[in-house]
Amino acid sequence: MEFIDKNQSANREEAHEVIDAFLKEVDAKPGLYMRFADPLPNGTFPKKQMFALLMREQCRCCYCMRRLQTNGLHLSIEHVIPQHAQIDELEKYFAYGSTLDKALVQHEDDFLKGDKHTPPYPHTVAYENLVLSCDGVYPNSNEAQSCNTKRGSEFVPPVAFIREIHDNVEYYKNGDVRYLGKEEGMFPMVTILGLDVPILKAIRRIWAYILKHGIDVSNCVPEDVVFDIWKDVVGQVSQQESDVLLLFDRDNFWALLLQYDYFNNASVFVSI
């Protein structure tokens, strides 16, 4: 994972202008984000404008590190503090040692009850609370398996805004991933975000194998690579993991693998 620095972003001023224009025109009632996609009287679409700004500062999903597609496929705007978070839940996000700032982000209900001066901005549309995530949908299922949609409104640490996050997430050559930071709640962040689902484990396992054996992904036979890995792990992993691994000899799954070229870097892994 990688830190996203909103404080140093050249997009901040423009983002605040987009949100201020939206708040000036919209009715002051709950559900601001639902109306964020609607056009303003001047013909602009604030959600589209925000999406374009976020695309400038991110090229990968904030959670699984999938390369974002410029055509918008499999993309979604993620609220680090969820849209439906309760007011008393915000404090644990602010207290997590991240760059989330009370001076810039407040709960939508508090904004609507107050004088409506900005900043701080309502958390449902605040630039400082928004990042890009993939939708967690992969070729083997129409249902979301990871990331924003899988998370829903569950609490996870605001990892995208933790400066040390690169060093606090460890990836292993067998495809496993581990978060070393502070956890809260019954289930770990990795599970809530679906970062340990078989398809993502297979992707990381394949990249580690490619790196270890110096394979040129632009000039290799995917079927051979996948079969060689499968021979090494069959009987040592679950049947589901074994079956998912074999899917990557197909063109659409190999194309998916290439979207995760973040892992085409030995330094990302604990060891290969």
Side-chain angles (χ1 to χ4, degrees):
M1 287 187 181
E2 299 295 335
F3 169 61
I4 299 172
D5 191 354
K6 295 284 190 176
N7 293 329
Q8 300 300 321
S9 175
N11 299 320
R12 171 178 278 181
E13 183 176 349
E14 187 174 349
H16 286 180
E17 290 174 358
V18 168
I19 304 167
D20 284 331
F22 166 73
L23 294 174
K24 181 180 178 181
E25 298 292 343
V26 75
D27 292 335
K29 60 183 181 181
L32 292 175
Y33 188 70
M34 294 295 292
R35 285 166 282 152
F36 202 42
D38 297 337
L40 298 182
N42 63 6
T44 60
F45 290 79
K47 187 175 180 179
K48 285 185 178 179
Q49 291 176 295
M50 183 63 68
F51 184 86
L53 290 171
L54 296 175
M55 282 293 289
R56 289 182 196 171
E57 63 192 23
Q58 272 182 258
C59 63
R60 299 190 182 278
C61 171
C62 63
Y63 295 131
C64 72
M65 306 312 295
R66 184 181 190 175
R67 189 171 359 105
L68 301 177
Q69 300 181 62
T70 54
N71 60 10
L73 284 175
H74 301 297
L75 271 182
S76 62
I77 291 179
E78 163 73 323
H79 291 76
V80 174
I81 301 172
Q83 293 183 62
H84 304 296
Q86 301 300 308
I87 292 177
D88 59 3
E89 294 179 303
L90 265 65
E91 189 58 39
K92 62 184 177 183
Y93 288 94
F94 291 126
Y96 221 86
S98 76
T99 56
L100 277 170
D101 188 347
K102 293 180 182 179
L104 295 168
V105 181
Q106 65 175 316
H107 196 279
E108 179 180 290
D109 290 353
D110 286 337
F111 173 80
L112 294 174
K113 290 185 295 186
D115 58 18
K116 302 177 184 62
H117 289 166
T118 59
Y121 291 91
H123 79 284
T124 50
V125 295
Y127 163 74
E128 286 79 8
N129 188 44
L130 303 179
V131 289
L132 291 178
S133 167
C134 77
D135 63 3
V137 175
Y138 306 110
N140 63 331
S141 174
N142 291 324
E143 295 184 2
Q145 300 180 54
S146 70
C147 302
N148 177 14
T149 311
K150 171 71 166 56
R151 173 200 178 187
S153 295
E154 293 287 330
F155 173 81
V156 294
V159 288
F161 300 149
I162 296 175
R163 293 185 182 277
E164 303 81 14
I165 193 59
H166 179 82
D167 297 325
N168 285 346
V169 175
E170 291 185 343
Y171 301 102
Y172 298 87
K173 62 183 179 181
N174 67 351
D176 285 346
V177 56
R178 184 165 62 135
Y179 175 57
L180 307 179
K182 181 178 69 173
E183 298 276 19
E184 292 188 32
M186 185 178 298
F187 300 107
M189 178 196 75
V190 166
T191 299
I192 291 172
L193 294 175
L195 301 181
D196 53 357
V197 295
I199 196 162
L200 291 181
K201 290 185 67 174
I203 286 169
R204 294 188 293 262
R205 184 190 290 274
I206 294 170
W207 276 116
Y209 183 89
I210 286 169
L211 290 166
K212 180 178 180 179
H213 294 275
I215 296 170
D216 180 358
V217 293
S218 65
N219 188 31
C220 69
V221 180
E223 294 91 335
D224 293 344
V225 174
V226 172
F227 186 65
D228 286 343
I229 300 172
W230 179 83
K231 287 190 300 183
D232 288 344
V233 304
V234 66
Q236 302 176 33
V237 299
S238 70
Q239 186 65 48
Q240 183 185 21
E241 288 188 38
S242 178
D243 291 345
V244 168
L245 179 61
L246 289 174
L247 293 174
F248 283 86
D249 65 2
R250 304 177 187 178
D251 289 346
N252 58 338
F253 280 85
W254 194 258
L256 175 66
L257 176 81
L258 298 180
Q259 292 174 20
Y260 284 87
D261 54 352
Y262 174 82
F263 297 101
N264 189 19
N265 181 346
S267 68
V268 168
F269 293 93
V270 172
S271 67
I272 55 169

